[in-house]
Amino acid sequence: MMRVKQILLLLLLTLAAVPAVAQGVEVDYNNPKKYIVGGVRVEGNHYFSPDQIIQISGLQKGLEVTVPSEEMSSIVNRLWLQKYFEDVAVVIDSLVPTRDSAYFKIAIIERPRVSRWTFSGVRSGEEKELLERLNLRRGGEFSDYVSKTASDIIKRYYKEKGFLNCEVNVTTQKDTIVKRAIRVNFGVNRGEKVKIQTITFNGAEHVKESKLVRSMKKTRDKRLMNFFSSKKFNESEYANDKRSLISAFNEAGFRDARIVKDTMYYVEPGRVQIDFDIDEGRQYYFRDITWTGNSVYDTDALNRILMINKGDVYDVVTMEKRLFGGGKQTELDVSKLYRDNGYLFFQIQPVELNIEGDSVDVEMRVVEGKPATLNNIVINGNDLTNERVIRRQVFTRPGYLYSHSDFERSIREIASMGQFDPEAIADPAKGWSIIPNSLDNTVDIVYNVTEKPSSQLELSGGWGGNTFVATVGVSFNNFSTRRFFDKSAWRPVPLGDAQNLSLRFQTNGTYYTSLSASFSEPWLFGKKPTSLSTSLYYTRQTMSMPYLNILNNEEFMEVYGFAAGIGKRLKWPDNYFVLYNQLSWQTYRLQSWDYQFLFDTGISHNLSYTLSLSRTSTDQQIYPRQGSDFSFSLQLTPPYSLLRKKDHGILDVNGNPTRVDDWKKINYDYQSSEDRYKWIEYHKWSFKGSVFTKLVGDLVLMARAQFGYLGYYNRNWGYSPFEGFRVGGDGMSGYDTYGSEIISLRGYENYSLTPQATSSYSKTGNYYAGNVYDKFTVELRYPVILQPQSTIYALLFLEGGNCWSDIRDFNPFQIRRSAGVGVRVFLPMIGLLGVDWGYGFDNHDGNGGSQFHFVIGQQF
């Protein structure tokens, strides 16, 4: 019927457009007549050429047409459908003397073109988002359709933000500069933001109200449990939340639950109340569950995953999660069981066979299909990083059976590389595609990566030792030694192989100087996930005090060293584990340095071996939402004191060290620091563990525990003068400090929780003696911005820890507590910036209370 009306309307338009008399020649429209088109001309066109309009119309020279006819109507219709014209008319311009041929004229009025689109009543950030949604362009035509469509999009945009009463007034103005053009302005009156004051659930007697509130993710009222949730009314999500509300009843066994009525009304300006009238219906229970079509796994194995017994509440929601997934990522479901073993085409359909009273019989109908083999693995978007670097990270390889766990692991590995945007690759809409082919039982997988800046040129400043310390450094996190001799690759350096090359220089002039260089290769020889890392460093610190104009280069500490390590990914217990081995050498040279350590003058050598076992399963590096990060390490030196047979503290008549038959008889108290600590010895144990839990949306709870212990082989020799711990403050000193491990504990001054001890080898008699520490942290994190260009998140923290000089004094319950807030900003070309405010509750020595801690690093 609608089609007939359109044809009649177009016919009337055609009749109105064609005059009864053309050039003095009468045309009888009651008797249609055929004409040969002798020619066509166009009138009223400014933006389109005559040839373009004639081509669109289809009215070509030599064509035989009937006037009037549906054919003429279709010519007008084709021009109208372009939406470029306000009026279209096709008329007979003239007839030839024989009256069998006619010359036609297409008369058009073009719609005005827009030279500029403007907005009023909106913020600059909103204007940018609106332009992206509207997709308006300069030079485009303007019509009532464009006006209405754009207004609807603007209103919908503000409704999503809670402005339900938004109004849009579209005005046009003739452009005085551009001919035949107009300016269009969208005047937006957002009105008052509408928030939800109260939500009531009438008729909900068997399901807790708190569960009903939690079920609706985007529709929340002002009760305390919704403190971190938005209270604005989001019309686009309201229907989904109503379905989620019914699912909460289904989860409790009320399969027939329904919303009888939902009413929304204003209780005050900008505040609404929503009342749900609910019919719960009857509560049902599972009776018999049967399986059909399963041959790969028997019924008992599938029931162990389903975990539903006869008499259990008929919880459809949980049943579907255990069949199809959707629960926690670590939980196994039936679909994942099959798809991890290649059965990508697996299907399952739960069917209610019989409902008797309050009991339901369910049959699980399984279609297993055939195992799917991976065919093409496509990687798009890697403009800088070599494709082989990405391919070696993924666990999906051509020819392998499809495994959904391997696919998820591949996404996680790409997100954790550091060269790509982790948010983009994890987005199902644009980050990846799974393309199955049921005809040959194969599947293609496409990974769409988004490169992000990863190299850094660092120019930073920090405050430490009562002086300003400047840093200049460069870090290439996607370096390529393979392209080192390729001249075309130096832009400015060869990149693309995910290697790391870092050079760093710090100084404040006479007081402190540091040089360091490091290189790491994540895949040694390019075939196995075996990493190689090397580092070389030198630092010199003097007792100069620039802030007091005191220059003193006679008292100093120098440290130089080298380290090399090999890391290997393990297959057992699982392939998240990495075993790392490192051999390092350090030399400490102290001259009248009575500032930090057990002795103030002498040279010590530190030759150590470190064995580290770590497991990292976080979903990304910058803002992890789930997973964990654990590491356990043991650092050892040779037990020199257990091998000694000479006592340098007691000399014989010739001035030589006295020989002893047992290392336990050596008395080190009589030895000089040069003899006693020439080769230091220790065993150092360290544990760090972090767990990330996604609470609601992007709200993340991070829990971390740390422990460290510096032990000795020989009590007579004692603790090592180096490699101890300093606890308290922000964990930064403004410059690199070798010889001690800095442990932050916010809410207290730097190093203030580190015990001090006396030593006869130091002029001042005091030194830091932190040999055991523990630390516990809980952080609640919420992102402000998660973009490739920047990541910003706020945090609340609770923290506690302490430090002891001897393992015999260690008490894990004797901790210094603190709490506070902070913010972190990570920019790819800048690094990490942050500020924390913490309050130390255990302010026994005046080192706690209110404290600000800064993480400053400005890099360009």
Side-chain angles (χ1 to χ4, degrees), residues 438-547:
S438 58
L439 297 178
D440 58 2
N441 296 310
T442 61
V443 58
D444 297 338
I445 298 179
V446 180
Y447 298 104
N448 300 311
V449 299
T450 303
E451 297 265 11
K452 70 173 186 178
S454 57
S455 298
Q456 297 177 351
L457 176 62
E458 179 182 3
L459 300 172
S460 66
W463 187 261
N466 293 316
T467 184
F468 183 81
V469 180
T471 302
V472 178
V474 62
S475 178
F476 301 105
N477 297 321
N478 199 3
F479 193 71
S480 174
T481 56
R482 186 176 58 89
R483 305 178 63 196
F484 194 84
F485 297 103
D486 183 359
K487 293 182 180 180
S488 62
W490 287 83
R491 298 180 180 178
V493 295
L495 300 174
D497 282 349
Q499 298 168 340
N500 179 273
L501 176 64
S502 178
L503 303 171
R504 203 162 187 258
F505 172 70
Q506 285 184 300
T507 186
N508 78 327
T510 58
Y511 175 63
Y512 176 75
T513 301
S514 174
L515 291 167
S516 64
S518 64
F519 173 79
S520 64
E521 163 58 75
W523 282 64
L524 190 61
F525 307 122
K527 294 183 178 181
K528 293 184 178 180
T530 300
S531 63
L532 169 68
S533 61
T534 60
S535 62
L536 182 68
Y537 48 87
Y538 166 80
T539 182
R540 176 183 172 88
Q541 193 172 341
T542 71
M543 289 300 291
S544 298
M545 300 180 183
Y547 60 96

Side-chain angles (χ1 to χ4, degrees), residues 774 804 811-815:
D774 65 3
W804 297 265
N811 183 352
F813 302 104
Q814 183 184 359
I815 62 174

Side-chain angles (χ1 to χ4, degrees), residues 644-652 655-660 666-668 670-672 674-676 678:
R644 288 174 181 153
K645 299 297 183 181
K646 294 182 181 180
D647 189 344
H648 290 266
I650 302 177
L651 305 180
D652 58 18
N656 297 319
T658 305
R659 295 188 63 84
V660 295
I666 299 177
N667 189 342
Y668 291 95
Y670 297 105
Q671 293 187 8
S672 65
E674 290 86 347
D675 291 330
R676 184 171 182 174
K678 182 177 181 180

Side-chain angles (χ1 to χ4, degrees), residues 17 34 75 83 108 151 164 184 255 302 321 378 523 640 776 789:
K34 294 182 179 182
I75 291 173
K83 298 180 181 179
I108 61 172
S151 298
L164 301 186
V184 180
R255 67 182 292 274
L302 297 177
K321 287 181 179 178
V378 181
W523 282 64
Y640 302 108
F776 307 95
Q789 298 82 7

Side-chain angles (χ1 to χ4, degrees), residues 81-94:
L81 290 176
Q82 303 305 310
K83 298 180 181 179
Y84 295 129
F85 312 110
E86 284 187 345
D87 192 19
V88 177
V90 180
V91 300
I92 297 178
D93 201 18
S94 63

